[in-house]
Amino acid sequence: SQQGEEDPQALSIQEGENATMNCSYKTSINNLQWYRQNSGRGLVHLILIRSNEREKHSGRLRVTLDTSKKSSSLLITASRAADTASYFCATAPIDDKIIFGKGTRLHILP
Amino acid sequence: EAGVVQSPRYKIIEKKQPVAFWCNPISGHNTLYWYLQNLGQGPELLIRYENEEAVDDSQLPKDRFSAERLKGVDSTLKIQPAELGDSAVYLCASSSPAGPYNEQFFGPGTRLTVL
């Protein structure tokens, strides 16, 4: 069963704009991670946020976590063409295995 | 630092044939994962190793899939016999002793096509 679900499934924005994608999950978690996958390339870890954290930054990335709503958001500021990729949230439930969502396909338009 | 290495990158086989995938994790990473990724989907965990011990293989279809991690380093995932529905990308990942399900480093994957 799918633990994490990203929203939207697909997103197209102009270069320079900000991109926001969301992830909802069902059960309590240890941590939530975001990964990026470019076309034809492997998955790359972007950021990990633990259940006791509410916000985390890494360069142009900002991740929030709301455990009461069981949701997380990933914000990419000042988007670039190289940000075109699929973005996956992965949840690590307590005492269970990690589960990836289906992903958000982000397309940055020139 | 070398990343996770997988081979082959691509494999095309006839159904009912056997196939094997190989993975070499990042040096010092004692946790190794095998995932299956279908087109348009996220990765699904097949098996997780802590050193040479399989600690989570609940999602591995044991009637046709097998895996091993001899000496707790390299790992091999095998399918015998392959079915049409096994066509997918098989990903290997590893993570450091900091604990399972922290940052994972993924290999490029093996794209399997079963005809």
Side-chain angles (χ1 to χ4, degrees), chain B residues 12-51:
Chain B
I12 301 174
I13 61 172
E14 299 278 341
K15 64 180 180 182
K16 301 184 181 180
Q17 294 299 305
V19 64
F21 315 123
W22 175 81
C23 174
N24 180 243
I26 292 173
S27 178
H29 283 192
N30 58 341
T31 307
L32 183 146
Y33 316 77
W34 281 103
Y35 289 88
L36 175 155
Q37 185 175 24
N38 287 304
L39 188 64
Q41 303 291 315
E44 299 172 39
L45 181 68
L46 291 173
I47 189 168
R48 172 169 69 96
Y49 281 94
E50 294 292 339
N51 299 304

Side-chain angles (χ1 to χ4, degrees), chain A residues 1-2 31 33 35 37 40-45 48 50 88 92-93 96-103 105, chain B residues 9-10 33 35 37 40-45 56 58-59 91 100-109 111:
Chain A
S1 63
Q2 215 73 29
N31 67 62
Q33 302 170 45
Y35 287 81
Q37 186 174 40
R41 296 180 61 181
L43 280 138
V44 174
H45 183 269
L48 180 153
R50 302 195 185 280
F88 296 91
D96 204 349
K97 59 184 178 294
I98 195 166
I99 300 178
F100 284 77
K102 294 183 179 181
R105 278 158 289 287
Chain B
R9 292 293 309 276
Y10 304 92
Y33 316 77
Y35 289 88
Q37 185 175 24
Q41 303 291 315
E44 299 172 39
L45 181 68
D56 185 352
S58 57
Q59 298 293 94
L91 298 167
Y101 305 136
N102 284 301
E103 178 180 1
Q104 296 178 58
F105 295 82
F106 282 81
R111 183 176 297 276

Side-chain angles (χ1 to χ4, degrees), chain A residues 70-106:
Chain A
K70 292 186 171 58
S71 68
S72 173
S73 68
L74 170 66
L75 168 68
I76 304 173
T77 60
S79 62
R80 305 168 181 170
D83 295 328
T84 293
S86 290
Y87 292 81
F88 296 91
C89 73
T91 50
I94 295 171
D95 296 329
D96 204 349
K97 59 184 178 294
I98 195 166
I99 300 178
F100 284 77
K102 294 183 179 181
T104 291
R105 278 158 289 287
L106 175 64

